[in-house]
Amino acid sequence: MEPTRQAPPKMPPRPVRTLALDIGGTGIKALILSATGKPLTERARVKTPRPATPGAVLNTITEMVNAQGKFDRVSVGFPGVVRRGVTITAPNLDGNWRGYKLADVLSKKLGKPIRVANDADVQGYGAISSQGVELVITLGTGMGSALFVDGRLVPNLEMAHHPFQRGRTYEELLGDKARKKIGKKKWNKRLVRAIRTLEHLFNYDRLYVGGGNAKKIVVKLPSNTRIVENVAGLLGGIALWRD
Ligand code: BGC
């Protein structure tokens, strides 16, 4: 009698790993996320090259990625307006990002599917509760903003370049340059004024304040405000793959 052949036991498919990248004006951050969005690696951070041209930034990313281990797809938070994988603005990087097909170029370079969104939008996904109107601002080199209604994003909200006081914009008054110029105390006071203005404008249920300079906040903020750890800018990357 022929021995019955047993099929080899089926290995469960390896859970998908997402490489999350957060391109900032000062640093580029990376880590790998599990299928459920939990970090699987330590966050890596390198300085953003200057000038921050597409070529220089992509080379830096490629070097970083090699040290991160295996991944199946990539989420990118980009510090400017992004439409369908194409970067439209990049106020704190370089003029050559206008109309740059970031998703296509990086996908070819890394050989993996890529999704790109504005950095504050990604940070927001990593922070919100998906209930009601939620506004997110990020304080770093620039000022990011993102608006969500019951978890649905209004993409590319650009509060940064709107006038806030005496014709000067939120980013001019609250960005890293301003913080260094006027010092912690004044910057904190300005932030409180900005939050009051935003609250009247958006009438949100909650405000999240993230970005690298959120740790420089020393004042008490209104009770509907939460400070978010900057790693949310990477953790939110998993949301770009929810269809
Ligand atoms: C850009 C935003 C970005 C923010 C934080 C601003 O200058 O216009 O798109 O989210 O900086 O990086």
Side-chain angles (χ1 to χ4, degrees), residues 78-81 89 91-92 118-120 138 142-145 158 160-161 171:
F78 182 83
V81 174
T89 64
N92 296 300
N118 171 264
D119 56 355
T138 65
M143 190 193 102
S145 51
E158 287 276 305
H161 312 291
E171 181 157 303

Side-chain angles (χ1 to χ4, degrees), residues 66-237:
N66 290 337
Q68 283 287 314
K70 282 208 171 89
F71 57 90
D72 308 289
R73 61 189 189 186
V74 186
S75 297
V76 184
F78 182 83
V81 174
V82 181
R83 243 182 245 129
R84 293 179 207 91
V86 179
T87 59
I88 312 293
T89 64
N92 296 300
L93 293 180
D94 187 89
N96 287 313
W97 286 96
R98 182 172 293 275
Y100 189 77
K101 292 183 178 160
L102 176 58
D104 279 0
V105 179
L106 194 57
S107 177
K108 280 199 193 104
K109 239 180 181 280
L110 301 179
K112 305 284 179 205
I114 310 251
R115 294 201 176 162
V116 187
N118 171 264
D119 56 355
D121 291 355
V122 177
Q123 175 128 175
Y125 277 127
I128 55 163
S129 69
S130 296
Q131 277 158 20
V133 177
E134 298 181 283
L135 182 72
V136 181
I137 58 171
T138 65
L139 304 168
T141 316
M143 190 193 102
S145 51
L147 182 64
F148 295 84
V149 183
D150 292 333
R152 274 187 72 101
L153 171 72
V154 178
N156 293 313
L157 175 79
E158 287 276 305
M159 281 309 300
H161 312 291
H162 269 249
F164 163 39
Q165 276 181 343
R166 292 185 209 108
R168 288 197 291 163
T169 65
Y170 283 87
E171 181 157 303
E172 282 169 337
L173 291 169
L174 287 169
D176 202 45
K177 258 194 210 146
R179 188 189 61 80
K180 285 184 179 141
K181 192 170 156 207
I182 61 172
K184 204 184 231 177
K185 211 169 152 197
K186 272 196 174 162
W187 181 81
N188 269 270
K189 270 194 171 169
R190 262 188 199 172
L191 175 64
V192 171
R193 276 203 302 276
I195 289 178
R196 249 186 252 135
T197 312
L198 292 173
E199 188 165 16
H200 280 124
L201 178 61
F202 290 98
N203 293 297
Y204 46 71
D205 294 297
R206 266 166 311 283
L207 169 73
Y208 299 88
V209 185
N213 282 341
K215 54 179 182 291
K216 305 272 165 47
I217 299 172
V218 291
V219 280
K220 200 168 167 328
L221 299 179
S223 60
N224 57 353
T225 312
R226 316 243 187 298
I227 294 183
V228 178
E229 277 196 49
N230 203 22
V231 74
L234 293 163
L235 302 181

